Amino acid sequence: MKQLYLLIASLLFTVSVFSQKHGISYQAVIIDPNAQEIPGVDKEGNILPNTQIAIRFTILDATNAEEFTEVQITNTDRYGMINLIIGHENFDDFTRISWDGTQKDLKVDIDFTGVGDTFVDLSRQDLTFAPYAYHRNITATGTLRVDDNTSLNGELLVEGPTNLNSSLDVNNSNNTNLTGMLNVVGVTQLDSNLLVVGKTALMDSLNVNQSPSHFDGNIAVEDTATFNGPAIFNAPVDFVEITVNGPSHLNGQVTVHADMDTLGDKTNYNAYPLLVEGGSQGMAIKVEGSRSSSNNYISFWDGTQMWGRIEGQTIGELTSDPGYAFSIANQTLGIISGTRDFVIAGLEAIQAGIDLTAASTSSTACVGLGACVTAPIPSTIAASVVNLVLKIANTALIGAGLGMNVAGLADFIISSEENIGVTYQSGAGDYAEWLPKAISTEAFLPGEIVGVRNGSITKSTSGADKIMVVSTNPIVLGNMPQLNEEKNYEKIAFMGQVPVRVIGEVEPGDYILPNIFVEGFGTAVHPDDMKIADYKKVAGVAWSVKRDPNYNYVNLAVGLNTNDMAMIIQKQDDQLNDLQEQIDHTNSLLSTLVPGFKEALDQNYVNIEDTTLAKKSSNEKAEKSETSTHNEDHLLASTANDIVYITPTREQLMVGIEQAKAMYLEAGNNLEDHPFWKKMKEEPAYQEEILQLMENKFDKAMHTHKAINQKFAK
Amino acid sequence: MDFGKTFSTFEYKNSEGNELVNMIGTNQNNLGVGYRHCIQKTGFHVLGGVSYQKYGAQASDTILDNYYKWDATYIGANAGFDYEFFKPEFNYSERYRFTLYLRGMIAAEFLMQGTQIVNNQLTDLKGVEEFNQPLYFARGAIGGKYYLSKSLSVYAQYMGGKSFLFGDYSNKEQLRIITHSINVGISVNLNP
């Protein structure tokens, strides 16, 4: 009689709509487990009306594991019915049930005592779908198809790809948050503002047809950014690499900050942060307003301060600029030096003519009676001719250089005043060039005095062609060696101020000469103590005073003392003039005091500076021309002194010129590079002038020779 | 021999001592045959006989919405006595004579047939608890007899009775039947 009868009237899932609660409706009629005692057979299956009972609901999953349980105490109504909501007493656990589509069983236990501690099984049944259902979590293992509108009042979480075959509208001004990548294959139209909080990666081109476009923050373009129109950036913009194919206008300050240290040293072109290339012109810098020394076109800084600048310059600033005055002085010195060299070269050419005359004159002693006549040695004559040609060529070259210097000075002044614009200023003080070391292993220190031989430097200054100083920090450095060849070169100051190592005290204006006892060091010599031979060894002039009797580091002006030699030459010229006046005065006295002295002087003495010499030479040339027709060996008539004079013919001079040209070419030179040989080749008139010059020199030397021979013959 | 109508009702208590509410009796027929023996002209008679009795009751439960009905047929043996307390002087010359009597009887009855209807369910009561045991009745009656002749008389009587139980029924269901019968009969004097 203890069997239980249970009638499940209904078991409904409810949908949470507005006031509806979360849970499952459970309605049942409870049958009295005890039979009703009546006369005869007891009546079973009576309802259990108006009785307190306890119901325990348990939801089991497919593995028979308990997912949810709760106990509800209730009373049956007069019909024995109960109406309960599963999940009413244990709401939290009910919301955690995973309605994942797997089997769910509802197990119901009942305690008829109404206390809730003595439960007996009542029922167990599958939970199936109902027309109305409310889910916390639901998993559809198959296709979920909703033929009508679908309202999702909570979040929609889609773990897999989501395909929308129609349009997607996000209404009510709700935000659309995409934490991952948004791939849009077709055209994307945004009718309102687009706010991108995070980074936006555009794998294709971005066309912004509406202007302007505002970027309030930084823009980082990792790849090529092409702006076909003007691009205005009012805020900082970071570009990893930017290529602008058209004109670019940067109205704000531009900072080029590139970490290029890892790309190599200064010899690497790509190691420089700023490269300007692609045009026949380099870079133009324009400053606002008029240029002046207060406008820096370019300034050079390190981490502490500015160390150099290229600044504007006016005419007033130009003329008052010490550098300009220095350049003028330098050009002038070049002219003076060129004049001196030209004079010396002319003297050498004259000497070469004398040598030719001497070579053409035979004074060889003969053994025998009577007059002994010997002919001059032809090879000696030819060598002398060649020597004369080379001296003339050198004179022509120096003359050309002198002319260029004179023209250059004028051009420099005109050009400087017409093209004044900028000056380069720096703490460095000298112009230097790289010169090769005579001994590659020899080490040099800044300020050391070196000797130059054949263009190579060495610490040995004895017999050096030139005395120079190792530059410390040149403002301009020329003759840059090839790559990796710097170890075989050293920076040598050519002009300007350079520190130099000196032993002993130094006064401003002292000449600095190499110290003969300590290599690399100099010695100060006062100008009054200078000797002619010392000028050859001058490294420069000291412009600072040092009182240390042992060792000093003084500022030396190099390349500025070439006029000193000119002054010496001028001084010697004055002395020669004085001597000439003294000789003329002496001759005048001797002519007065010694009878016959004046006649002898008129007959035998030939003054090479007498203007009548040219006429006499012309007459003698005519005589030679006549003589040459009778003597194929070009022997002059024997004089009383038995000395034979021979005059080189045009052919011999031409042979000499050709030999000199051959020697020049054998030295690896090119005729086109030498102004003398170039003009000799291209201009026959110039060649004729050279031949006449050689003949004139020969004639002058011949007359002098004859006079001297006659003088000594007496 | 007599026959009559019996109004019977059940007096029932379940094991918890509760009675059925809304229980009412039913009218049934009864039939009896017996022997009556006069004891020495004292007015007392002993008697014995058998009876055929039908009892019934019906009830309803409004809470449980149940309807109950019982019908049972018993055959019993009874014995008793009566006393004619009103008996005029016997005058055999008178053809008709009227007497009144009181009767007491006991009877043991056994179920011959019975059915139980609960709602629409019919159940045989044979072998079912309360009906499986004999009913013991105690009855009392009052009646009048009219002698039609010296050897034949008719009588009518009212007799009430109530069954009773033997043994301990303290924790068991208890069923008693209370009867009210009106009978008429004919008596034949076998020794006139």
Side-chain angles (χ1 to χ4, degrees):
Chain A
M1 300 297 291
K2 297 298 184 183
Q3 291 180 341
L4 302 181
Y5 295 91
L6 175 66
L7 173 61
I8 303 298
S10 62
L11 181 62
L12 300 176
F13 291 95
T14 62
V15 179
S16 176
V17 179
F18 303 109
S19 60
Q20 284 187 291
K21 297 180 178 178
H22 303 278
I24 303 172
S25 291
Y26 183 84
Q27 190 175 54
V29 175
I30 305 301
I31 305 300
D32 193 340
N34 301 314
Q36 182 186 19
E37 291 179 334
I38 58 173
V41 179
D42 292 343
K43 175 65 170 67
E44 296 181 341
N46 286 330
I47 62 173
L48 184 62
N50 303 321
T51 304
Q52 177 173 300
I53 59 174
I55 300 293
R56 181 172 64 192
F57 297 106
T58 304
I59 295 178
L60 306 171
D61 63 11
T63 62
N64 213 32
E66 184 177 292
E67 285 197 50
F68 168 78
T69 185
E70 70 173 359
V71 174
Q72 296 192 30
I73 308 298
T74 186
N75 289 307
T76 61
D77 61 7
R78 57 176 297 191
Y79 303 107
M81 294 183 65
I82 56 173
N83 292 281
L84 302 174
I85 302 297
I86 301 174
H88 179 72
E89 292 294 329
N90 192 359
F91 178 76
D92 292 340
D93 286 351
F94 185 81
T95 59
R96 297 190 187 98
I97 297 173
S98 177
W99 301 103
D100 55 359
T102 59
Q103 182 180 351
K104 304 290 182 185
D105 286 356
L106 174 63
K107 183 174 180 295
V108 182
D109 300 321
I110 188 169
D111 179 8
F112 289 98
T113 64
V115 178
D117 58 355
T118 309
F119 286 99
V120 294
D121 293 342
L122 183 60
S123 67
R124 174 166 177 165
Q125 62 185 122
D126 292 342
L127 290 177
T128 57
F129 295 102
Y132 297 97
Y134 181 79
H135 305 277
R136 274 294 175 188
N137 297 312
I138 185 170
T139 299
T141 57
T143 301
L144 174 61
R145 177 173 178 175
V146 180
D147 294 331
D148 206 340
N149 293 338
T150 302
S151 298
L152 301 175
N153 296 322
E155 291 187 358
L156 172 62
L157 176 60
V158 181
E159 298 290 346
T162 302
N163 296 316
L164 298 176
N165 294 327
S166 184
S167 59
L168 171 65
D169 296 332
V170 180
N171 300 319
N172 300 328
S173 301
N174 286 322
N175 296 333
T176 301
N177 301 319
L178 300 174
T179 58
M181 182 179 293
L182 172 63
N183 295 321
V184 180
V185 177
V187 177
T188 303
Q189 178 176 347
L190 300 175
D191 294 332
S192 185
N193 294 339
L194 172 63
L195 174 61
V196 181
V197 177
K199 294 182 177 178
T200 301
L202 297 176
M203 300 304 178
D204 206 335
S205 60
L206 171 64
N207 296 324
V208 181
N209 298 323
Q210 187 72 25
S211 65
S213 298
H214 300 281
F215 298 91
D216 296 332
N218 295 337
I219 298 177
V221 180
E222 303 293 343
D223 205 339
T224 302
T226 301
F227 298 93
N228 294 324
I232 301 173
F233 301 95
N234 295 323
V237 180
D238 292 332
F239 295 98
V240 175
E241 183 175 351
I242 181 171
T243 300
V244 181
N245 295 322
S248 301
H249 302 279
L250 303 175
N251 296 325
Q253 189 178 43
V254 178
T255 301
V256 178
H257 182 84
D259 184 8
M260 317 296 288
D261 293 341
T262 59
L263 297 180
D265 57 9
K266 61 183 181 181
T267 61
N268 186 356
Y269 174 76
N270 292 321
Y272 290 84
L274 178 62
L275 304 176
V276 179
E277 59 182 17
S280 57
Q281 306 300 327
M283 181 170 60
I285 300 175
K286 179 180 181 181
V287 297
E288 293 295 328
S290 60
R291 69 193 183 283
S292 68
S293 60
S294 59
N295 300 124
N296 286 343
Y297 286 81
I298 296 177
S299 58
F300 302 92
W301 300 72
D302 64 1
T304 58
Q305 65 179 61
M306 180 172 67
W307 293 98
R309 61 183 181 269
I310 298 176
E311 63 186 19
Q313 190 182 43
T314 62
I315 293 179
E317 291 170 344
L318 172 67
T319 55
S320 60
D321 181 29
Y324 175 74
F326 170 78
S327 298
I328 295 296
N330 188 33
Q331 296 268 0
T332 304
L333 289 175
I335 294 173
I336 294 173
S337 176
T339 303
R340 180 201 63 193
D341 293 341
F342 182 74
V343 170
I344 292 174
L347 292 176
E348 288 177 346
I350 294 171
Q351 183 61 44
I354 295 173
D355 291 343
L356 175 60
T357 304
S360 303
T361 304
S362 173
S363 58
T364 306
C366 300
V367 178
L369 299 175
C372 181
V373 178
T374 58
I377 302 172
S379 61
T380 303
I381 295 173
S384 298
V385 170
V386 171
N387 185 40
L388 177 59
V389 171
L390 292 178
K391 294 297 183 182
I392 291 173
N394 186 41
T395 303
L397 177 63
I398 294 174
L402 176 61
M404 290 175 63
N405 283 339
V406 173
L409 174 60
D411 292 341
F412 173 76
I413 294 173
I414 295 171
S415 175
S416 297
E417 293 183 351
E418 288 182 350
N419 299 288
I420 58 171
V422 297
T423 60
Y424 174 55
Q425 296 199 17
S426 172
D430 64 290
Y431 164 77
E433 288 189 5
W434 291 94
L435 293 183
K437 297 177 182 178
I439 304 171
S440 60
T441 57
E442 199 169 22
F444 297 92
L445 295 175
E448 283 189 334
I449 294 177
V450 299
V452 181
R453 290 187 179 86
N454 299 324
S456 298
I457 61 171
T458 176
K459 283 190 175 180
S460 175
T461 56
S462 299
D465 300 334
K466 186 74 175 176
I467 304 300
M468 304 186 82
V469 179
V470 177
S471 176
T472 300
N473 187 21
I475 186 173
V476 179
L477 183 59
N479 194 29
M480 186 175 68
Q482 296 297 319
L483 186 64
N484 300 325
E485 288 294 326
E486 288 188 357
K487 63 180 182 298
N488 297 323
Y489 286 76
E490 190 55 67
K491 296 176 287 187
I492 303 300
F494 271 61
M495 188 172 290
Q497 297 184 52
V498 59
V500 66
R501 301 161 189 263
V502 179
I503 294 177
E505 297 181 357
V506 181
E507 293 291 338
D510 284 353
Y511 289 98
I512 303 301
L513 278 62
N515 190 293
I516 61 174
F517 301 107
V518 183
E519 286 187 342
F521 283 79
T523 299
V525 179
H526 193 275
D528 295 340
D529 300 331
M530 288 289 287
K531 298 180 174 57
I532 294 300
D534 290 340
Y535 286 99
K536 188 179 180 181
K537 298 183 290 183
V538 170
V541 179
W543 279 7
S544 60
V545 58
K546 296 291 181 181
R547 302 297 186 190
D548 191 326
N550 297 318
Y551 168 78
N552 291 294
Y553 209 57
V554 300
N555 226 20
L556 183 71
V558 298
L560 306 178
N561 55 331
T562 53
N563 57 340
D564 295 343
M565 181 59 74
M567 294 173 63
I568 297 301
I569 293 174
Q570 182 64 42
K571 185 177 179 180
Q572 290 181 343
D573 185 55
D574 293 341
Q575 290 176 348
L576 287 175
N577 291 332
D578 292 341
L579 289 174
Q580 184 63 43
E581 290 178 356
Q582 290 178 8
I583 291 173
D584 293 341
H585 182 67
T586 302
N587 288 337
S588 177
L589 290 175
L590 289 174
S591 298
T592 305
L593 299 175
V594 179
F597 181 82
K598 186 176 184 300
E599 291 75 13
L601 184 62
D602 293 338
Q603 183 178 358
N604 299 320
Y605 179 71
V606 177
N607 187 350
I608 60 174
E609 295 182 354
D610 191 350
T611 56
T612 60
L613 183 59
K615 295 179 180 178
K616 294 178 69 175
S617 297
S618 179
N619 295 332
E620 289 176 358
K621 187 165 60 178
E623 292 176 359
K624 284 188 289 185
S625 178
E626 294 175 357
T627 306
S628 62
T629 58
H630 302 289
N631 188 355
E632 292 181 359
D633 293 332
H634 310 288
L635 296 176
L636 297 176
S638 177
T639 65
N641 296 325
D642 295 331
I643 295 175
V644 176
Y645 296 93
I646 186 169
T647 300
T649 64
R650 276 291 182 99
E651 289 73 14
Q652 288 175 325
L653 293 178
M654 286 299 296
V655 170
I657 290 172
E658 291 301 325
Q659 286 183 354
K661 182 191 299 183
M663 291 173 63
Y664 179 74
L665 292 174
E666 288 175 358
N669 299 316
N670 191 347
L671 295 179
E672 298 297 330
D673 298 336
H674 199 287
F676 172 76
W677 291 115
K678 185 177 180 181
K679 293 186 71 172
M680 287 288 286
K681 176 183 176 182
E682 297 175 352
E683 300 178 18
Y686 181 75
Q687 181 175 332
E688 179 59 27
E689 289 178 356
I690 293 300
L691 289 173
Q692 291 179 1
L693 175 63
M694 292 174 66
E695 289 170 352
N696 289 336
K697 289 183 180 296
F698 175 79
D699 290 342
K700 288 181 179 179
M702 182 64 76
H703 281 285
T704 303
H705 228 76
K706 286 180 177 178
I708 293 173
N709 287 339
Q710 289 175 355
K711 182 178 180 179
F712 281 97
K714 291 177 179 179
Chain B
M1 181 179 67
D2 55 36
F3 65 93
K5 282 288 187 178
T6 302
F7 177 77
S8 63
T9 183
F10 289 177
E11 184 182 88
Y12 175 79
K13 289 183 180 178
N14 63 17
S15 59
E16 296 177 351
N18 298 322
E19 296 179 350
L20 277 175
V21 297
N22 295 330
M23 180 173 281
I24 59 175
T26 61
N27 289 319
Q28 301 289 343
N29 297 319
N30 65 74
L31 180 63
V33 176
Y35 173 76
R36 182 174 181 244
H37 181 74
C38 179
I39 302 174
Q40 296 297 326
K41 299 181 181 178
T42 60
F44 285 93
H45 297 82
V46 294
L47 52 85
V50 295
S51 63
Y52 171 82
Q53 299 282 349
K54 296 187 71 173
Y55 308 117
Q58 57 185 358
S60 67
D61 189 329
T62 57
I63 297 176
L64 300 178
D65 195 22
N66 287 336
Y67 169 74
Y68 315 99
K69 183 179 181 183
W70 298 269
D71 288 304
T73 301
Y74 281 83
I75 289 179
N78 52 69
F81 67 92
D82 60 23
Y83 172 72
E84 292 180 337
F85 63 88
F86 176 72
K87 182 172 72 176
E89 192 68 25
F90 186 76
N91 186 0
Y92 289 103
S93 58
E94 297 177 2
R95 187 171 182 167
Y96 300 102
R97 188 180 181 187
F98 179 76
T99 62
L100 296 177
Y101 61 87
L102 294 177
R103 181 178 289 176
M105 293 181 70
I106 59 172
E109 297 181 354
F110 301 92
L111 180 67
M112 294 299 290
Q113 181 186 6
T115 59
Q116 177 187 9
I117 296 175
V118 177
N119 298 329
N120 292 321
Q121 299 296 321
L122 178 64
T123 304
D124 188 359
L125 292 176
K126 287 286 286 185
V128 176
E129 288 192 302
E130 300 90 342
F131 295 92
N132 198 34
Q133 299 177 11
L135 289 177
Y136 300 99
F137 280 91
R139 292 191 175 97
I142 185 171
K145 179 182 290 183
Y146 180 75
Y147 287 90
L148 294 177
S149 66
K150 191 175 181 180
S151 58
L152 183 64
S153 58
V154 296
Y155 62 91
Q157 64 176 11
Y158 163 77
M159 185 169 59
K162 183 178 182 180
S163 67
F164 54 90
L165 302 173
F166 291 101
D168 183 8
Y169 283 85
S170 60
N171 295 321
K172 295 182 179 178
E173 297 172 273
Q174 298 177 19
L175 177 63
R176 291 184 178 88
I177 300 176
I178 298 173
T179 63
H180 300 276
S181 301
I182 300 295
N183 287 350
V184 294
I186 183 171
S187 175
V188 177
N189 187 359
L190 294 179
N191 189 15

